[in-house]
Each structure stands twice: as C-alpha cells, then as structure tokens.
Amino acid sequence: MDIKGGEDLQMAEITQQLINTGKYETFLNRAGKGNSETILFLHGSGPGVFAWANWRYALDDCGVQYDCLAPDLAGFGKSSHPETLPKNRQGWMDHWVAQMIELLDELGIQKAHLVGNSLGCSIALELLLEHPERFEKVVLMGPGGTPNTKLSLELGRAKGFYDNPTEKKMRQIMSWFVYDDEKLAPEIDALAETRYETAMRPEIQASNNSIFATAAVPVPVTALKRIKQPVLLIHGRDDMVCSVESSYYLLSHLQNVQMHVYGQCGHWTQIENKDSFNSLILNYFNNSI
C-alpha cells in the first residue's frame, strides 16, 4: 500500500508491507527507499501502540534524504506475535533484537542509524551492545529503563488500561503523554480511536499484558561506557511518563553523547515539536551538529 505524504514535494512517499523476518511477519512502514543511508525507527510501548502512530511525521520529512524504516515490533500493531510469550523483559528484548537484525538482513541493509522512542531506546541500546557493527549514529528520545527511572502515576495508570478498557480511558491516558492536551486534542482524538481498536485485538492484549508484567533490565554502566557510536539524547522537560532524569543518567555514562531538552514538552517530542524534532535529527545525521 502506498501513502502519499501530501502535495508538498518535500514529503516522502510512504509504503507499507509485511516482511518475512525469521520467526515473524514484520509490518513495515518505509519512506525514501533507494536513498543511500538508512534510519531505523523503533517505537515505544503501551496499549494499542504501533509504529505509524509514533513516526508518521518523521517518515514524511526524513524520507526525503534517508531510507526510513519504521517497523511494528513483534507483539505490536500488525506484526506477528511470539508463539510462546516470554517470561521476562530480557526474553522480549531477545525477540526484538533478533527481529530487527532479520529485517535489516532481509532488506540487504548492512548499516543503519537508529532512532528510539521510550521502549525503543532500550531496544536501541541492546542492538548497540549485541550488533555494534550494524549501526552508526543514534538518537534516543524519551528513554526510560534506567536505574533512576521511576514508575510514574501516569505510566501506572497506562499499565492498568485493560482492567476496564474503553476508548475514553485510552484518550485520557494519551492526554498524559503530552504537555498541552488541549492544543493537541485533534491529534489525541484521532490516535485514541485507532489505538483503542488495535488494543482490543486479543493477541495485542495478550502481548501487552506479558510485556507490562515484566520489569525493565537496565544496561550496566560498564556496558554503557563501551558504546562507541555517537548518541543524541532528546527529552521533554515535562515528560510525566519517563522523566528527564533518565536522559541525564545516560548523559552521565555514555561517552560520545550530547543532549537536547524541550521545555513545555511531554513524552511525545516527535509529535509535540514535530518540525523542530525532524530538523534536529536531520542536522544530527547530516553532521551539522
């Protein structure tokens, strides 16, 4: 399926297809196929989340210059699910790492840049540790999973979505992800409807419950210090899901690192400040900052 980015000639054409990636069928959103460098976008977690919801604006802009890949992780969206659900978070990580490497192999891509959001940041770090030769520059946006990451009230409520799932509750949860929910009301309304429909699929619920029943396994400081790739940390100062302290922790231990903080911004920098975010990561990948 082809999706046009609009009438603006500077917006990339986006395609969607299922790719055979070893144990999984991976649903892939792709923009800029044929460009010489690749960016792999990794989405976050939560009931009903999928890659398109996280990365549609970034695909539009970045696909003009880069081959941009935004897959649904196993257990999310339209990708398939593990036949046996992992018993811990590292088991899920092993599935996601294998899935992403299989995807790059299937597409014949030897090296890529990485952009992670929330859970996607943790997966990006695992990829850097296990397959460092496959990745170049890295952006981690709104990371959690660090020893100083606290379980916020907002995230705790999100974990309890399936106790009494309704579209109204989905919208309420999503309003906590942003700084100004009134300003982004049309965006939240549209996403809440789509994410609710996705979340209510039985296989999505089973995978979500399995993931949220497990605890994050922070990367040891000794391992963080061995990561050689350049890393750009991006965080909303007012993030109530994964607080900015998580990025400050990584800033303290990663070696080749810089950080950009947005005031009056929550957990969805790529949506709340989409134009600035896209310009920032493009300048970073283009070696302008």
Side-chain angles (χ1 to χ4, degrees):
M1 180 169 75
D2 291 350
I3 299 175
K4 299 291 185 181
E7 297 300 322
D8 187 342
L9 295 178
Q10 294 305 305
M11 300 175 80
E13 179 179 309
I14 300 169
T15 62
Q16 297 178 320
Q17 65 181 125
L18 277 172
I19 303 286
N20 188 348
T21 51
K23 297 179 181 179
Y24 306 103
E25 291 288 318
T26 295
F27 186 79
L28 176 66
N29 304 278
R30 188 175 194 178
K33 180 179 179 180
N35 288 327
S36 59
E37 294 185 54
T38 299
I39 304 174
L40 176 60
F41 290 88
L42 304 173
H43 65 76
S45 64
V49 73
F50 49 96
W52 174 253
N54 266 198
W55 301 121
R56 61 199 181 282
Y57 298 124
L59 291 173
D60 275 337
D61 285 356
C62 299
V64 175
Q65 298 180 45
Y66 292 89
D67 184 1
C68 296
L69 313 176
D72 288 347
L73 297 169
F76 292 94
K78 296 180 181 178
S79 289
S80 56
H81 299 253
E83 293 182 7
T84 302
L85 295 174
K87 297 180 180 179
N88 53 53
R89 184 63 61 89
Q90 194 57 52
W92 276 104
M93 280 291 174
D94 292 343
H95 280 291
W96 293 323
V97 167
Q99 180 193 14
M100 293 303 103
I101 296 301
E102 290 275 4
L103 175 64
L104 294 178
D105 288 346
E106 181 67 24
L107 297 176
I109 296 169
Q110 294 305 309
K111 277 204 166 187
H113 302 298
L114 277 172
V115 178
N117 166 219
S118 197
L119 170 67
C121 297
S122 298
I123 299 169
L125 290 173
E126 292 287 334
L127 286 165
L128 294 177
L129 294 173
E130 295 191 30
H131 302 276
E133 74 286 354
R134 302 297 295 270
F135 301 101
E136 299 181 286
K137 302 186 82 171
V138 183
V139 174
L140 304 179
M141 190 206 78
T146 61
N148 66 335
T149 301
K150 299 176 182 178
L151 177 60
S152 66
L153 297 176
E154 289 78 7
L155 187 56
R157 284 290 191 97
K159 287 186 174 184
F161 168 76
Y162 285 108
D163 293 342
N164 180 29
T166 64
E167 187 173 333
K168 180 180 179 181
K169 182 183 283 189
M170 176 68 77
R171 194 205 180 284
Q172 184 183 54
I173 289 170
M174 293 179 62
S175 72
W176 299 331
F177 278 55
V178 301
Y179 175 78
D180 188 342
D181 63 313
E182 291 186 7
K183 177 181 177 182
L184 289 172
E187 182 94 33
I188 293 172
D189 289 342
L191 277 179
E193 180 180 359
T194 306
R195 282 187 57 164
Y196 177 74
E197 291 176 359
T198 303
M200 295 313 294
R201 289 164 39 202
E203 70 276 17
I204 293 288
Q205 180 173 347
S207 288
N208 181 90
N209 288 343
S210 171
I211 293 165
F212 273 115
T214 66
V217 183
V219 176
V221 170
T222 50
L224 289 175
K225 289 183 179 297
R226 293 184 187 131
I227 291 175
K228 297 180 180 179
Q229 284 86 351
V231 177
L232 172 63
L233 299 165
I234 301 176
H235 220 118
R237 181 197 62 197
D238 308 291
D239 189 340
M240 300 302 291
V241 178
C242 295
S243 71
V244 70
E245 281 73 24
S246 298
S247 279
Y248 282 119
Y249 176 87
L250 294 175
L251 182 69
S252 298
H253 298 299
L254 292 167
Q255 300 302 296
N256 191 357
V257 62
Q258 55 184 296
M259 183 170 168
H260 189 100
V261 178
Y262 284 90
Q264 296 185 319
C265 181
H267 193 54
W268 285 345
T269 309
Q270 83 281 31
I271 294 174
E272 295 176 77
N273 291 278
K274 58 181 183 293
D275 294 334
S276 176
F277 174 83
N278 293 339
S279 295
L280 179 61
I281 67 172
L282 283 171
N283 282 328
Y284 179 65
F285 290 134
N286 289 334
N287 300 311
S288 298
I289 59 172

